[in-house]
Amino acid sequence: MYSRRDVKRKQPSGRRALVRLPLILVVCSKSKMIITPPLPPSSVGFSFSPGGLLFPYHLGVITSLEYHGKLSESVHIAGASAGAIAVACHASRTKSAQALEAMDRMCQVCSTQFNGRAVGNLLPLLKVEMDRVLDPDAHTIINERQGTVVLAHKELFPRNRNVLVTKFETRDDLIESVLDSCMFPFFSTPFPARLRYKSGERIPRVTVDGFFTVPR
């Protein structure tokens, strides 16, 4: 059954204050009653680094953490570049196997349509695959997640700053945030940066890969 518990907590002044704790689980048996306190918000978080070739590795780590019960909905997760793709997929409840299949399809397209050349062609292909694998309400799932989800990228204009995106207005906004984090100059596309047009803004933002959020 569920119950509430009131606890008298001693204050620095010496007085006692009544603190109402949230619902707790009470497990009854013939021999004893066990009171299990609610799990507090997680103080643990995992970050997933940039590096395109690390994407399958990130998926493997996520799968292992899930298997061992270390990556619940209350755990904070952050990522940049390839790490941002892995984080966005996991936080939106896209299966790791689906994400890996999406990467394989990108490789196949590069092999068959671009003579095996990935450089300069990756970002458009990533957008297609993100649109393909993410649920229609992926942004809502992430926004309502108990643990914080962070996608990092570097903004060059209108302000030179590191950007940590934690909320997503729409599914397209989520996909665009992943693309911002994966814009490695002259590699993801033939261009040095990405122009990000946001609703209500007349001037585009200039962004590059989350790799550049850390001083080098």
Side-chain angles (χ1 to χ4, degrees):
M1 66 178 176
Y2 291 92
S3 178
R4 286 193 179 273
R5 180 174 58 173
D6 293 333
V7 177
K8 288 186 177 179
R9 180 174 295 173
K10 191 172 183 180
Q11 301 298 304
S13 62
R15 297 180 178 179
R16 290 186 178 272
L18 188 64
V19 179
R20 172 152 287 183
L21 297 181
L23 287 173
I24 59 176
L25 178 63
V26 180
V27 182
C28 298
S29 67
K30 292 182 179 179
S31 59
K32 59 182 177 179
M33 182 174 69
I34 303 172
I35 299 178
T36 306
L39 291 175
S42 178
S43 58
V44 175
F46 296 99
S47 64
F48 296 84
S49 66
L53 296 178
L54 289 177
F55 180 64
Y57 174 81
H58 288 331
L59 295 179
V61 170
I62 287 173
T63 301
S64 179
L65 289 171
E66 283 186 296
Y67 178 80
H68 291 286
K70 303 297 184 182
L71 198 55
S72 67
E73 290 282 307
S74 65
V75 174
H76 311 298
I77 49 176
S81 200
I85 306 172
V87 165
C89 288
H90 170 74
S92 62
R93 300 174 188 162
T94 301
K95 299 295 185 183
S96 291
Q98 289 179 276
L100 193 60
E101 289 170 0
M103 187 201 72
D104 184 63
R105 286 191 295 268
M106 290 178 61
C107 294
Q108 291 294 328
V109 171
C110 289
S111 177
T112 58
Q113 297 184 22
F114 302 121
N115 298 318
R117 183 177 175 82
V119 175
N121 300 308
L122 292 174
L123 213 62
L125 296 177
L126 176 60
K127 184 173 184 177
V128 170
E129 291 301 331
M130 293 298 292
D131 187 53
R132 183 173 182 173
V133 302
L134 291 181
D135 285 346
D137 58 347
H139 63 293
T140 302
I141 294 172
I142 292 179
N143 289 338
E144 293 179 351
R145 189 177 185 273
Q146 184 181 356
T148 303
V149 175
V150 182
L151 305 183
H153 70 267
K154 180 79 172 183
E155 181 181 284
L156 302 179
F157 180 86
R159 287 189 290 168
N160 187 358
R161 59 173 182 161
N162 299 329
V163 179
L164 304 178
V165 186
T166 59
K167 294 296 179 183
F168 309 93
E169 297 177 1
T170 63
R171 182 176 181 271
D172 285 342
D173 185 39
L174 169 60
I175 294 175
E176 291 296 318
S177 295
V178 173
L179 298 180
D180 284 337
S181 189
C182 295
M183 176 58 216
F184 203 90
F186 304 111
F187 183 78
S188 301
T189 75
F191 308 107
R194 181 170 190 261
L195 300 182
R196 170 78 182 276
Y197 291 86
K198 298 197 73 173
S199 177
E201 296 181 354
R202 298 179 60 184
I203 301 175
R205 302 186 183 196
V206 180
T207 64
V208 291
D209 199 283
F211 171 86
F212 297 101
T213 58
V214 178
R216 306 289 173 179

